[in-house]
Amino acid sequence: MIYLITGASHTGKTALSQRLLEALKFPYLSIDHLKMGLIRSGQTNLTPADDDKLTDYLWPIVREFIKTAIENKQNLIVEGCYIPFDWRKDFEEEYISEIKFICLALTERYIDEHFEDIRAHGSDIERRFESDEAALSKDYVKKENLRFTEGFTKAGEQVVLIDQDYEQVIDSLCHCRA
């Protein structure tokens, strides 16, 4: 089983992935780690700010990781924001049936009511730079969550909307087994 987890920044993708790793004992691939390895090694001239270009660059690599894991009957958690809205077009049905897709999104109401919590938990699993967290705006978080929600919904995907109790939603996703 492959867990393919995406969503805007600060939605808890990495936290969910970590909980699934601990619960299911599945290996975990962070697309952000792959991105930074390729950038730092000089394998690309792209920068962390090149989001759309990074999706085009990283997705073919990630897609083939997923196919290889499925072909070898291996479990894997793949997490990151660099997953195209139309990702399903790249897989035949025998692959799709082995992929559990999860897109996390925060509602505008949740962001309004919990913005300081969102900012405070930004480094729970992975270290974020304080300057990045200080520059994080409520409007940016709203815009990105709306972009992911609309993009994946338009592509026919279900989006897990977090509107009230964040922990309850994440716990419910961790209780589903492969």
Side-chain angles (χ1 to χ4, degrees):
M1 175 62 62
I2 306 298
Y3 280 81
L4 184 57
I5 302 171
T6 193
S9 179
H10 289 79
T11 54
K13 300 178 301 293
T14 306
L16 172 60
S17 298
Q18 182 69 31
R19 287 191 194 179
L20 286 170
L21 176 150
E22 292 167 2
L24 302 174
K25 311 294 187 226
F26 286 6
Y28 162 56
L29 171 67
S30 166
I31 301 174
D32 279 342
H33 292 176
L34 176 62
K35 167 189 78 176
M36 291 311 298
L38 291 165
I39 289 171
R40 288 179 173 174
S41 68
Q43 298 299 307
T44 181
N45 292 322
L46 296 173
T47 71
D50 294 323
D51 280 345
D52 290 338
K53 291 177 185 173
L54 281 164
T55 298
D56 292 342
Y57 181 71
L58 295 168
W59 177 245
I61 299 165
V62 172
R63 177 191 67 218
E64 298 308 316
F65 264 91
I66 292 168
K67 287 180 180 178
T68 301
I70 292 170
E71 290 162 358
N72 287 302
K73 299 190 183 322
Q74 296 170 321
N75 300 313
L76 182 64
I77 300 164
V78 178
E79 172 269 320
C81 60
Y82 304 105
I83 297 170
F85 299 136
D86 62 349
W87 67 272
R88 286 183 188 266
K89 73 173 176 42
D90 293 328
F91 296 95
E92 290 82 21
E93 181 51 41
E94 64 264 21
Y95 293 105
I96 295 287
S97 65
E98 295 295 322
I99 299 171
K100 178 164 181 51
F101 176 80
I102 301 171
C103 178
L104 298 176
L106 307 173
T107 65
E108 190 169 312
R109 179 175 86 164
Y110 186 88
I111 296 165
D112 283 336
E113 293 176 3
H114 301 277
F115 184 68
E116 290 310 315
D117 292 332
I118 293 166
R119 183 180 279 172
H121 289 285
S123 293
D124 282 358
I125 302 296
E126 60 186 4
R127 183 175 157 245
R128 296 180 193 263
F129 295 105
E130 286 183 33
S131 60
D132 292 342
E133 288 303 289
L136 184 69
S137 74
K138 190 184 288 189
D139 287 338
Y140 172 79
V141 173
K142 287 180 180 181
K143 179 181 165 192
E144 281 299 289
N145 276 272
L146 183 61
R147 184 174 72 84
F148 273 79
T149 300
E150 289 179 346
F152 280 110
T153 300
K154 185 176 178 181
E157 300 294 344
Q158 284 193 299
V159 175
V160 177
L161 291 175
I162 300 167
D163 188 51
Q164 292 181 342
D165 189 334
Y166 177 86
E167 288 298 323
Q168 182 180 22
V169 172
I170 298 303
D171 285 347
S172 71
L173 291 169
C174 290
H175 290 113
C176 54
R177 299 289 184 239

